[in-house]
Amino acid sequence: MPAPHRTAERAIAAALGAATVLGYAPLYLYLLPLFTFAGLFFLCQRASGARDAALLGFLFGLGWFIAGVSWVYVSLHTFGAMPAALAAAITLLFCAYLALFPAAATYFSRRWQIAPALNWILFVPAIFTLLEWLRGWLFTGFPWLNPGYTQAPASPLAGYAPILGVHGVTLLLFATAGMLCCTCVIRGRTALRALWLWPAALAAVWLTGAGLKTVAWTEPTGTQISVSLLQGNIKQDLKWREDHLRATLDTYLQLVRSSTSQLIILPETALPLFLRDVPADYLEALAVHARRNNGDVLIGVPERLPNGDYYNSAVSVGNAERQTYRKNHLVPFGEFIPLRPLLGAIVSKLAIPLQDFARGASDQQPLAVAGEQVAVNICYEDAFGEEIIRQLPQASLLVNVSNVAWFGRSFAPQQHLQIAQMRALETGRYMLRATNTGMTAIINPHGTVEAAAAEYTQAVLTRTVAGMRGATPYVRWGNLAALALCLFIIGVVVFIKRHTQKTTAD
């Protein structure tokens, strides 16, 4: 049985993890994660060994992800018709898997422990950041709740996003937490030096970030267009019902006709039938209205090809010739079934339509619509910054079409909005988000939401936006710079440790 103080520390670790979620949207308490991660580092410094530190990291992660992504349960049970007990068990298992990544980071924090300053300000932040990158890549990746997102858009650390992307911001967040931790764990003469050294270093990092926020990495192309983002507010339990199809089509036709914008954008799968089955006169009505506005309508609609493959697509009609973007990064279980022979029994419990989408090509180009080059991404795809920049710097606008009604009245839509804010920061582009139930929003190149429709309402969000040109450093080198920086830090620290050990032995 663990000592009482160990039990208390483990409970504190889980509570700190849960509190971290308050740093994300909708509260945007971006300073809070600095202290929760500093608290985790402090607990790990006091741990009895690497295994104890790993357990603290796991419990922190469990609190973090249960509080932050428990909306997975809503998707599985409320809308996927999975039995409640099974949905709860799978949600818990998923959160436990995600918690393995902070557990691994805290394990290495003690397994390779060195001088506190090197350990908590350099080594651990680099290890943690690499593991966060791995979480966003392994098994197609789940980068949701990456700590760097908490800093978008208001934090001074957000100034680093156009250079190093979300992972670079994460690294600096962890480094800041490490500095806070060091002020508590260093003793003696070193502690006296830390009284001015760590605050000075902290101020330098944050003031530089604030200065970077004033840098204009991109510039307007000189053209502006009017855009309308449609939010149909079609209930998820009605969306795919055949007896509600006509009402859905009529809703979007009326919303389109209410807009005089050059670019009109419908949400993901706004039309809940295959494109080939959409009545020809319906598509023509949309196209006629778009041409009347001297522009185009971008429609979220599933698309089935003659060979039987079907795609989650966005299709344009209007002035320009018809163009299509097909979703490339699919959602496991929601859009494709991984390890079907092993997981088929679980999948059979889900009442989710169209679970076997094909993947669109990874080298798709921007759509030339309404006089702009539009980089389209669909729902979950905007969580992957390095995939978004594939269409840049050619694209002048970013467009995300989503349907997060699957997650009910949870934090998921607001968390997704904050992810899109980071993409706008990284690329120096407007991000236009059209969703079924929220958050439909227009985000400027500084990551600020210029306008947003109220959730769970039918709305047409209209504004004039500027196309942008140029490339941020992140657009040019993607995640490579942040990952290389992490590896460099780890290499330097390991070299110093080995050199110190050799000198001591001699």
Side-chain angles (χ1 to χ4, degrees), residues 99-443:
L100 293 176
F101 293 90
T106 52
Y107 173 84
F108 286 116
S109 75
R110 290 304 303 271
R111 181 68 179 81
W112 286 76
Q113 191 168 13
I114 47 181
L118 290 175
N119 198 54
W120 300 109
I121 299 176
L122 295 175
F123 183 73
V124 174
I127 288 290
F128 235 118
T129 301
L130 285 177
L131 285 164
E132 280 300 294
W133 170 81
L134 183 63
R135 179 166 71 84
W137 173 81
L138 194 63
F139 306 127
T140 78
F142 187 78
W144 213 274
L145 294 190
N146 183 298
Y149 287 123
T150 62
Q151 304 304 293
S155 167
L157 292 185
Y160 294 94
I163 304 174
L164 297 173
V166 69
H167 295 298
V169 175
T170 297
L171 176 65
L172 294 170
L173 183 155
F174 285 141
T176 301
M179 292 179 196
L180 295 174
C181 175
C182 279
T183 61
C184 298
V185 301
I186 297 177
R187 299 287 183 266
R189 291 183 180 179
T190 308
L192 293 177
R193 290 198 298 270
L195 288 177
W196 66 267
L197 179 60
W198 307 141
L202 184 64
V205 169
W206 283 64
L207 288 174
T208 300
L212 288 171
K213 291 185 76 171
T214 66
V215 176
W217 299 100
T218 57
E219 62 181 5
T221 59
T223 61
Q224 292 190 326
I225 65 165
S226 55
V227 299
S228 286
L229 313 180
L230 309 190
Q231 183 172 289
N233 196 36
I234 308 298
K235 291 183 179 180
Q236 188 61 35
D237 55 358
L238 298 176
K239 181 177 175 67
W240 296 96
R241 280 176 39 176
E242 189 173 350
D243 61 348
H244 200 263
L245 174 60
R246 188 70 253 174
T248 298
L249 295 179
D250 289 344
T251 293
Y252 278 109
L253 181 58
Q254 292 168 12
L255 292 176
V256 167
R257 285 174 168 167
S258 71
S259 169
T260 58
S261 295
Q262 295 163 274
L263 180 60
I264 302 173
I265 306 170
L266 280 64
E268 176 188 17
T269 59
L271 308 187
L273 72 171
F274 289 120
L275 178 63
R276 68 184 187 184
D277 298 325
V278 178
D281 60 342
Y282 185 87
L283 289 176
E284 182 59 21
L286 296 179
V288 166
H289 184 79
R291 287 192 288 267
R292 188 176 298 128
N293 296 343
N294 193 31
D296 296 276
V297 175
L298 198 57
I299 310 165
V301 60
E303 183 188 23
R304 187 162 198 148
L305 303 188
N307 65 1
D309 288 344
Y310 52 86
Y311 297 87
N312 190 347
S313 300
V315 178
S316 71
V317 295
N319 259 359
E321 64 179 24
R322 183 177 294 185
Q323 298 160 77
T324 302
Y325 172 80
R326 293 168 179 155
K327 188 175 183 182
N328 169 257
H329 200 127
L330 304 178
V331 180
F333 300 103
E335 293 176 319
F336 81 101
I337 310 305
L339 304 174
R340 181 181 284 275
L342 297 176
L343 303 176
I346 293 176
V347 173
S348 67
K349 303 292 184 181
L350 290 171
I352 298 177
L354 302 177
Q355 289 182 326
D356 254 336
F357 280 107
R359 296 180 187 276
S362 61
D363 60 350
Q364 297 176 80
Q365 296 302 301
L367 306 187
V369 292
E372 298 290 339
Q373 295 291 318
V374 176
V376 179
N377 53 89
I378 298 178
C379 197
Y380 182 61
E381 287 187 307
D382 69 352
F384 301 88
E386 200 159 43
E387 296 178 10
I388 297 299
I389 63 174
R390 290 171 181 168
Q391 300 186 59
L392 296 171
Q394 295 89 342
S396 55
L397 292 172
L398 303 181
V399 165
N400 176 266
V401 295
S402 294
N403 175 30
V404 287
W406 285 104
F407 307 117
R409 294 178 181 270
S410 67
F411 284 166
Q414 291 93 342
Q415 291 171 353
H416 198 189
L417 175 66
Q418 191 172 33
I419 288 171
Q421 290 176 274
M422 181 61 76
R423 300 290 88 86
L425 279 165
E426 289 172 344
T427 60
R429 299 291 194 279
Y430 272 91
M431 169 69 90
L432 311 177
R433 301 190 72 245
T435 73
N436 178 23
T437 57
M439 299 283 297
T440 295
I442 295 172
I443 305 167

